[in-house]
Amino acid sequence: MRNDDIPGRPARGFRDGLDASRLRRLALHGLAIALAVTFHSFTAHPPWHTALLCALLGLWAVTATVRHVLTPRWTQTAWSVLLVGGGVCAGLSSTDASAPAFVGATGLFLLISAAETPALWIAGALAAGIAGFTLAHEAVGGDPRLTVSALISAVTGFGFGFLARLNALDRRSERGTAERRAEHAVQEERARIARDIHDVLAHSLGGLVIQLDALEAVSVARGADADVVDRVRGARAMAADGLVAAKHAVDALRRLPAGIDAALGEIVTGVRAQGMTVDVDVRGEPARVPEPVGEVIASVTVEALTNARKHAPDAPVAVVVTAGRDAALLRVANRLAPPAERPEPGVTGGHGVPGMRERAEIVGGGLTAGAVNGEWIVECQVPYE
């Protein structure tokens, strides 16, 4: 996994995240800017007016280009400036206000169409734009007919923006309903798996521990070879560890703490109780992580910590989750144990990494695991949609 794939970090350049959807948006922005330039070129304008309009178009172009690395508040501010600046520029046009009115209407459209823009913010920017146009138009003694053209542009931008906003809110509501249904289905499936683990695996391991205790006692009483006794004790310890891990898995399946940070905190508390040294760090915006993504991150964390406890029981483990705008990245790292202290390959099962990778791929994510500079590192990236 490359460093520039880590969510939450600023993009390295224009090509970062250049997918088909973003290309379409950029093409539409470019077409609209070209139309504004064409409208402006129809009639002569003072140099200062052209400079003001070019500054607005430059802000528009830059914001549209790097919007994928900006916070919503920055884009809201930029579109507000576009709205107010377009209104003022249109008011200062004594002959032709088509180009600046188009720019202001576009700013209004972009501001309203974003579902995350607060209504109070929209109202304030719209009031500032109207006031700016009115005062500027009065100052230059403009033609009342220009007011009509500017008003038509504003109504058009407001109408299309409002329709786009309703559409975005409908999609958000549908997505929320689908996520709640998926979450309910996941909860039911987790409860079923927990029952199966408890009824089958936990009971079987419990019986195996009892049998191995009895076998150890018989072996010692009959004077069995020391190597045989050690093997029995090792098998008994493995079975006991498996029983503890199974109980923790059942508990994790039955409990669904809200939020990825709370889920990780509960997982880490459980493994620390077993004597592991674990440091957890949640970065970015954990509230943005959807519940299904949090489920995958939590399950991969449990498996990665279990593997670390088996392969390097005394090594500290660092768990870092970076919650970005569009994806979450999990990184679990621990020092590798010396070769002489590593368990035999046939003892541990060896299905941990493929199982984690399957969980990530089911939801469209990816997982890598391997040794890097004396550490075993597991990285799992899961997109939000």
Side-chain angles (χ1 to χ4, degrees):
M1 186 173 298
R2 303 176 305 169
N3 288 335
D4 54 359
D5 289 333
I6 297 177
R9 293 185 179 179
R12 293 180 180 269
F14 174 78
R15 291 174 59 85
D16 194 73
L18 198 61
D19 55 8
S21 175
R22 184 168 164 233
L23 282 173
R24 287 193 297 267
R25 290 195 301 268
L26 288 174
L28 290 175
H29 282 289
L31 177 60
I33 292 173
L35 286 175
V37 173
T38 302
F39 292 156
H40 186 71
S41 63
F42 284 156
T43 56
H45 298 274
W48 60 266
H49 189 273
T50 301
L52 177 59
L53 182 63
C54 288
L56 293 174
L57 294 178
L59 173 65
W60 182 358
V62 170
T63 304
T65 302
V66 300
R67 179 176 176 269
H68 62 297
V69 297
L70 298 176
T71 62
R73 184 57 57 89
W74 277 106
T75 55
Q76 291 168 12
T77 302
W79 302 146
S80 300
V81 171
L82 207 63
L83 163 61
V84 179
V88 172
C89 194
L92 294 173
S93 302
S94 57
T95 56
D96 184 8
S98 57
F102 176 77
V103 172
T106 303
L108 180 60
F109 166 77
L110 294 171
L111 186 64
I112 295 177
S113 61
E116 65 271 10
T117 306
L120 187 61
W121 185 303
I122 296 174
L126 182 58
I130 294 174
F133 172 81
T134 302
L135 294 175
H137 203 56
E138 288 292 334
V140 299
D143 189 346
R145 290 176 296 179
L146 297 181
T147 304
V148 176
S149 63
L151 179 62
I152 292 174
S153 298
V155 171
T156 302
F158 183 88
F160 280 105
F162 186 70
L163 291 176
R165 182 183 183 87
L166 291 179
N167 187 37
L169 290 174
D170 288 341
R171 289 199 307 270
R172 176 178 293 185
S173 177
E174 292 174 359
R175 185 166 58 250
T177 301
E179 288 179 355
R180 286 191 294 272
R181 291 176 179 173
E183 180 182 350
H184 180 68
V186 169
Q187 290 176 354
E188 291 183 346
E189 181 65 12
R190 288 167 67 96
R192 185 190 65 79
I193 295 174
R195 289 193 300 268
D196 291 344
I197 292 178
H198 183 270
D199 294 341
V200 179
L201 184 58
H203 288 174
S204 300
L205 288 175
L208 180 60
V209 170
I210 295 175
Q211 294 296 324
L212 289 172
D213 283 337
L215 180 58
E216 178 185 355
V218 171
S219 300
V220 173
R222 295 183 179 181
D225 187 77
D227 184 60
V228 173
V229 176
D230 289 340
R231 291 281 182 174
V232 172
R233 289 173 177 171
R236 195 269 181 199
M238 289 180 57
D241 289 343
L243 180 60
V244 173
K247 290 180 178 179
H248 281 294
V250 170
D251 292 340
L253 286 169
R254 286 174 173 169
R255 292 194 300 266
L256 290 173
I260 184 64
D261 47 354
L264 289 176
E266 184 170 333
I267 293 171
V268 170
T269 299
V271 296
R272 283 173 178 167
Q274 302 176 37
M276 289 186 67
T277 302
V278 182
D279 179 40
V280 61
D281 183 12
V282 180
R283 304 171 181 173
E285 304 176 70
R288 297 178 65 95
V289 180
E291 191 70 24
V293 175
E295 297 282 349
V296 174
I297 295 295
S299 64
V300 172
T301 301
V302 171
E303 184 66 30
L305 292 176
T306 301
N307 291 342
R309 182 171 59 86
K310 290 180 180 179
H311 294 275
D314 297 326
V317 184
V319 179
V320 179
V321 174
T322 306
R325 290 172 59 94
D326 305 312
L329 175 70
L330 167 69
R331 187 178 190 272
V332 182
N334 62 274
R335 291 198 309 269
L336 289 171
E341 300 178 9
R342 297 175 190 174
E344 298 179 6
V347 176
T348 58
H351 299 293
V353 173
M356 291 187 292
R357 184 174 290 114
E358 289 175 1
R359 295 173 198 169
E361 292 176 350
I362 287 175
V363 293
L367 183 140
T368 60
V372 180
N373 297 328
E375 288 186 320
W376 183 265
I377 298 178
V378 176
E379 286 189 346
C380 175
Q381 186 176 20
V382 183
Y384 294 162
E385 294 182 0

